[in-house]
Amino acid sequence: MKRLIINSDDYGRTPEVSRGIRAAHLLGVVTSTTCMMNIPTTAADIKIGLWETPQLGLGVHLVLTADKPIGPYESVKSITDENGNFLKLAALIQRINDIDVNEVKAEWRRQIEAFIQAANKKPTHLDSHHHSSYFSPSLFRAMLELAQEYDCAIRLPVVNDSDDMAGLPPELIGPIREYAPKLFAEFNPRRPKAFFASFYDDLATHDELQRIISEVGDGTYEIMTHPGYVDDELLKASSYARQRETELKILTDPSIKEAIRSNEIELVTFASL
């Protein structure tokens, strides 16, 4: 049986991003999303989603590289800058061996608990903004321990029919290939068989999405997407802004739904794992 999770990252990034994700579910093929719980408006967006899109799977997008943490500055000093903001991606990678994983795990737990308070249920799965939860063995272990604690699935960033890791910083892929399989074997988390990260930016095209759909075989696969509507807040905060409306247009195109049907693929969420 061919099954496919089409997950939208960044629910809550702005209210307009959240509205676009809901549209991609209601009018298109998105089945799942992950919520950025350190954004103050995300809890309200979740309430809207529970009413407007009750079949949309909801997970937690663990954050280390955007906006501010939920916890007080004293509890997150190793992962924040002098203004109390999370480190930017490049800075986090540069300081990856100096961060306090206990601070990270406590902050991620706060984000998961904030989701449970807003949604009144556990998340379907965990993944991470910029894939930061895979950047070191200790970070990956922290995510796996939290997934085990909250009994939810995780994203598996492994390319179909290979041991390549998708969407990760090139300078980190070598070490990740060494420790990731060992940690997967130790924890054996629920996760999809493979992961497609290529539908992004210049490759967020009809042809690329059709190509990915044609590669889905038996088992459960995940496609990462980033649909949304653009507003001034997003334009100021993110370099990936107008591209989201391009993704939304493709993900709601009837030809994509037809391609999924003709390939006999069932659309599911992480809850089916």
Side-chain angles (χ1 to χ4, degrees), residues 205-226:
T205 64
H206 281 88
D207 288 347
E208 178 62 13
L209 191 52
Q210 295 269 14
R211 182 195 67 78
I212 293 170
I213 291 167
S214 72
E215 289 192 10
V216 173
D218 288 342
T220 303
Y221 293 71
E222 180 194 357
I223 301 175
M224 179 181 70
T225 70
H226 297 81

Side-chain angles (χ1 to χ4, degrees), residues 5-56:
I5 300 164
I6 302 181
N7 188 81
S8 173
D9 291 10
D10 300 349
Y11 192 84
R13 190 69 186 86
T14 72
E16 284 297 281
V17 169
S18 298
R19 186 170 71 89
I21 291 170
R22 295 193 301 272
H25 171 70
L26 290 170
L27 305 175
V29 294
V30 165
T31 64
S32 172
T33 191
T34 32
C35 305
M36 300 178 74
M37 297 311 304
N38 66 314
I39 306 294
T41 53
T42 302
D45 287 345
I46 288 173
K47 300 293 187 186
I48 296 170
L50 290 170
W51 176 79
E52 189 177 301
T53 53
Q55 301 306 310
L56 180 65

Side-chain angles (χ1 to χ4, degrees), residues 42-273:
T42 302
D45 287 345
I46 288 173
K47 300 293 187 186
I48 296 170
L50 290 170
W51 176 79
E52 189 177 301
T53 53
Q55 301 306 310
L56 180 65
L58 296 173
V60 173
H61 204 45
L62 301 171
V63 180
L64 279 185
T65 55
D67 285 63
K68 293 179 179 290
I70 293 176
Y73 176 68
E74 295 74 20
S75 69
V76 287
K77 287 184 178 180
S78 75
I79 51 175
T80 52
D81 62 20
E82 63 276 8
N83 297 314
N85 296 312
F86 276 127
L87 299 171
K88 298 296 186 182
L89 178 60
L92 179 70
I93 293 173
Q94 188 174 20
R95 289 169 52 177
I96 198 67
N97 294 320
D98 299 321
I99 66 173
D100 185 339
V101 72
N102 292 316
E103 290 184 357
V104 174
K105 189 175 180 181
E107 170 61 23
W108 282 349
R109 179 177 280 109
R110 283 188 283 266
Q111 293 175 20
I112 296 168
E113 288 293 332
F115 172 87
I116 293 172
Q117 183 176 359
N120 197 31
K121 61 181 178 180
K122 295 185 298 184
T124 57
H125 71 292
L126 304 178
D127 58 30
S128 54
H129 194 52
H130 293 138
H131 307 295
S132 61
S133 59
Y134 300 93
F135 285 2
S136 74
S138 59
L139 288 176
F140 191 23
R141 178 177 290 277
M143 175 177 155
L144 288 165
E145 288 174 348
L146 288 167
Q148 188 176 70
E149 178 181 338
Y150 288 94
D151 188 28
C152 56
I154 68 162
R155 167 176 285 167
L156 174 70
V158 174
V159 178
N160 188 28
D161 293 329
S162 77
D163 61 355
D164 288 340
M165 309 295 283
L168 295 162
E171 63 269 37
L172 298 179
I173 287 179
I176 292 170
R177 283 179 179 156
E178 292 293 322
Y179 60 73
K182 298 173 185 177
L183 286 166
F184 275 125
E186 179 181 346
F187 285 88
N188 192 28
R190 287 183 284 122
R191 72 274 192 189
K193 179 180 179 180
F195 172 65
F196 295 99
S198 58
F199 182 73
Y200 186 77
D201 208 1
D202 291 342
L203 278 176
T205 64
H206 281 88
D207 288 347
E208 178 62 13
L209 191 52
Q210 295 269 14
R211 182 195 67 78
I212 293 170
I213 291 167
S214 72
E215 289 192 10
V216 173
D218 288 342
T220 303
Y221 293 71
E222 180 194 357
I223 301 175
M224 179 181 70
T225 70
H226 297 81
Y229 292 113
V230 178
D231 57 13
D232 289 342
E233 183 181 352
L234 183 67
L235 288 169
K236 292 175 184 176
S238 175
S239 61
Y240 202 76
R242 299 199 184 280
Q243 302 96 317
R244 295 177 190 264
E245 290 193 350
T246 299
E247 289 199 27
L248 177 58
K249 184 177 180 181
I250 295 168
L251 290 162
T252 55
D253 190 304
S255 67
I256 299 300
K257 190 173 289 187
E258 173 57 27
I260 291 169
R261 188 201 64 77
S262 63
N263 280 277
E264 299 182 332
I265 296 170
E266 179 188 6
L267 292 176
V268 297
T269 73
F270 281 87
S272 69
L273 292 169

